Amino acid sequence: MLTRLWRGLTHDPLPWLAGRQDTRSGVVLRLADGRRLEGPASDPYATDDRVTAVRLEGAEYDDPARLMTDLAVPHSGSFASELGHSTASLALSRAGQRGFGSPGEATPVRDWEWEQRVVDGHPFHPNCRSRPGFSVLEQLAYGPEHRPVVELGLIPVPAGECLVSGVWPKWLRDGERVLVPVHPWQAAHVLKRAGAGPGTGEGALAAHPLMALRTLALPDGPHVKTALSARLTSSVRDISLGSVAASAILTDLGQAVAERTDGLLRITRTLGAVAAGSPDLAALLRESPEKYAGPGERVVPVAALAGTDLPRSPARLARLARLALTVGLRLLDIGVALEAHGQNLLVVLSPDGEPIRLVYRDLADLRVSPGPPGTARHPGAGRARPHGHGRRPGPAPQAVRLTRGGRAGRDGGVRCGAAGGAGEGRTGSAAYGRPLGAVRRTAAGEGADADAAVAGHRGRPVDGPAQSPAPRGRVTDRFGMRRS
């Protein structure tokens, strides 16, 4: 955790840091109040635990939580609390782990077996294992790295009280009632209602937790994304009503986008989504990435590739990089950006281990440019000028939520990024096809139906965005890391 924290301190823009100086022994950070923070040189890409101590005004610190407390910068107290929890939780995650890839160990067969091999969580976020509100027993019972089977409760809700997008399957209906899958932690700590627990009420679904913890794989079935109103990796993981309302539109957009990659990318579809009046009681059903694997092929999350032979082959690494860049740049060229981190992006490996195509899941953080195709590749796109010549790039892209009504600082919501710099439009943009343009327009603000669904479900008129309560501060925002 200290390595992750030190990486963030040395490489991220922080308002309370006045300067940085590289020295022979490492790095010196000068705080705005004049104090000095010293530590070893920090590699922005290394993921091993190489930082064992840093020094604040000459005093040595090996505990990241104590360091943040004594830095006494804005919000450092709450951040330190999460750091302490993350450190203890990571130690628990690593306890009792066997050495993956050891002689005699079977190769994973199912998708959840690959995901449960990822023990350390996010390789860069200092709160990668922060799970406040989870006891030790609950972490052992629900954490994917401990490889449990989790029983999801099913809460029956009258269909007329539910917001449903896509197709909610018959096996999750009971006459005029919709059965909403509920994580047992959510049932016990948030909903606190009879019949919400596993094995009670309308039955239960046995499922395997994936890297996201609140998303679970049903045996021989889809993945279930559940609402978990806990702050995991610094974000509250409930499901906004806007995300439910927009899920069908986003699925159509995802399929239209994937069709333009010549088979190099598949995007899992959201089959159905439901919310019962609150982000705390909602769920999504999503295709398993295994659907996009052929005979003998394996679908492996990028975060789990360390457990394969691929990282030990420079040729295969180069092919994977070429594949990812080809797909990513093609999508940018039509104004679409994926949040393709190691959890959302998966690689289809051939029977002999070659990367052959990609699978992407979870469109909640998709970015779509409102401009015409070809203008959102980068600031100043469409300007055929050498670097350093001609007009300066336009303003930085701005992010706009498309799904209104979500609670501030929480998970869920689609973003629409404005292209930086107008530039000259490229010729031939009509070749991208009208279907994609139609879906883009629907997703980018002309989707009043989604707003109406959310507004009607809340019992308020559709005359503007919902008023969110005061933000529940996110460490990532304060720390200068990923914002959502």
Side-chain angles (χ1 to χ4, degrees):
M1 291 306 172
L2 187 61
T3 299
R4 290 171 167 86
L5 176 63
W6 183 242
R7 182 192 297 113
L9 293 174
T10 55
H11 295 288
D12 289 335
L14 299 169
W16 37 268
L17 286 180
R20 165 186 167 148
Q21 180 183 359
D22 294 323
T23 66
R24 289 184 177 181
S25 59
V27 179
V28 175
L29 302 178
R30 182 166 54 85
L31 277 66
D33 61 8
R35 289 180 295 167
R36 290 166 55 93
L37 180 61
E38 304 172 64
S42 176
D43 186 334
Y45 304 108
T47 57
D48 55 339
D49 300 332
R50 59 176 59 194
V51 180
T52 58
V54 298
R55 295 176 302 282
L56 177 62
E57 289 292 282
E60 187 171 281
Y61 289 79
D62 59 5
D63 181 351
R66 188 169 68 90
L67 172 63
M68 280 308 304
T69 298
D70 288 356
L71 282 173
V73 296
H75 312 293
S76 61
S78 57
F79 188 21
S81 177
E82 283 200 56
L83 279 169
H85 194 284
S86 189
T87 301
S89 182
L90 179 59
L92 179 64
S93 297
R94 289 182 174 182
Q97 293 291 338
R98 59 181 179 270
F100 295 121
S102 57
E105 186 191 15
T107 300
V109 176
R110 302 306 304 272
D111 52 357
W112 67 77
E113 295 175 325
W114 284 109
E115 303 213 18
Q116 292 176 353
R117 285 187 166 203
V118 180
V119 174
D120 283 8
H122 198 297
F124 299 118
H125 200 302
N127 286 335
C128 62
R129 273 289 174 256
S130 178
R131 295 167 179 167
F134 279 68
S135 67
V136 170
L137 290 178
E138 287 171 332
Q139 293 209 54
L140 294 173
Y142 307 138
E145 69 274 15
H146 302 295
R147 294 170 290 283
V149 175
V150 177
E151 287 196 340
L152 301 177
L154 297 175
I155 293 186
V157 181
E161 299 177 10
C162 290
L163 171 63
V164 178
S165 178
V167 178
W168 199 249
K170 292 182 178 179
W171 55 273
L172 284 176
R173 290 180 179 270
D174 179 19
E176 297 300 317
R177 301 186 300 174
V178 173
L179 302 180
V180 183
V182 176
H183 195 282
W185 187 94
Q186 186 83 347
H189 295 276
V190 178
L191 300 177
K192 300 179 181 178
R193 55 190 289 179
T200 63
E202 303 300 317
L205 300 174
H208 301 268
L210 306 177
M211 278 188 286
L213 190 145
R214 53 90 167 256
T215 301
L216 304 97
L218 300 178
D220 302 316
H223 290 179
V224 183
K225 184 176 183 178
T226 64
L228 203 61
S229 305
R231 192 177 297 279
L232 307 179
T233 317
S234 301
S235 287
V236 178
R237 305 293 176 171
D238 55 13
I239 301 176
S240 72
L241 302 186
S243 290
V244 171
S247 61
I249 293 173
L250 285 178
T251 290
D252 291 342
L253 173 62
Q255 299 311 301
V257 165
E259 289 174 0
R260 282 150 179 82
T261 64
D262 298 325
L264 297 179
L265 175 70
R266 297 287 188 267
I267 297 180
T268 59
R269 295 183 302 135
T270 298
L271 305 174
V274 63
S278 167
D280 297 327
L281 183 53
L284 280 73
L285 294 180
R286 192 165 60 213
E287 285 180 329
S288 167
E290 287 185 333
K291 176 179 179 179
Y292 299 99
E297 296 175 349
R298 297 168 290 164
V299 185
V300 183
V302 168
L305 285 176
T308 70
D309 292 330
L310 188 146
R312 290 179 283 278
S313 168
R316 287 177 176 172
L317 279 175
R319 280 191 283 273
L320 174 59
R322 188 177 300 111
L323 174 62
L325 285 171
T326 298
V327 169
L329 292 175
R330 283 190 187 182
L331 297 190
L332 284 177
D333 203 41
I334 60 174
V336 177
L338 306 177
E339 191 179 40
H341 52 61
Q343 179 174 295
N344 284 353
L345 190 66
L346 302 94
V347 184
V348 179
L349 301 178
S350 68
D352 60 355
E354 293 289 334
I356 53 179
R357 61 184 170 275
L358 302 175
V359 179
Y360 183 81
R361 61 183 173 192
D362 197 347
L363 295 173
D365 285 311
L366 184 76
R367 268 74 170 177
V368 181
S369 168
T375 63
R377 289 167 292 162
H378 53 77
R383 305 171 188 172
R385 295 179 175 85
H387 178 70
H389 293 76
R391 290 174 292 176
R392 298 178 62 184
Q398 299 297 315
V400 179
R401 283 187 183 273
L402 301 184
T403 51
R404 298 174 179 174
R407 285 181 277 184
R410 294 194 166 214
D411 194 38
V414 190
R415 289 138 178 104
C416 176
E424 294 84 10
R426 299 201 315 151
T427 59
S429 62
Y432 291 107
R434 295 185 62 185
L436 176 60
V439 177
R440 281 158 52 94
R441 286 193 297 275
T442 302
E446 298 172 19
D449 291 344
D451 270 346
V454 175
H457 199 62
R458 285 204 172 112
R460 63 175 176 82
V462 191
D463 55 1
Q467 297 299 314
S468 298
R472 295 175 58 175
R474 293 187 50 187
V475 174
T476 45
D477 286 340
R478 302 163 185 166
F479 199 62
M481 294 185 176
R482 174 185 171 274
R483 296 174 181 270
S484 66

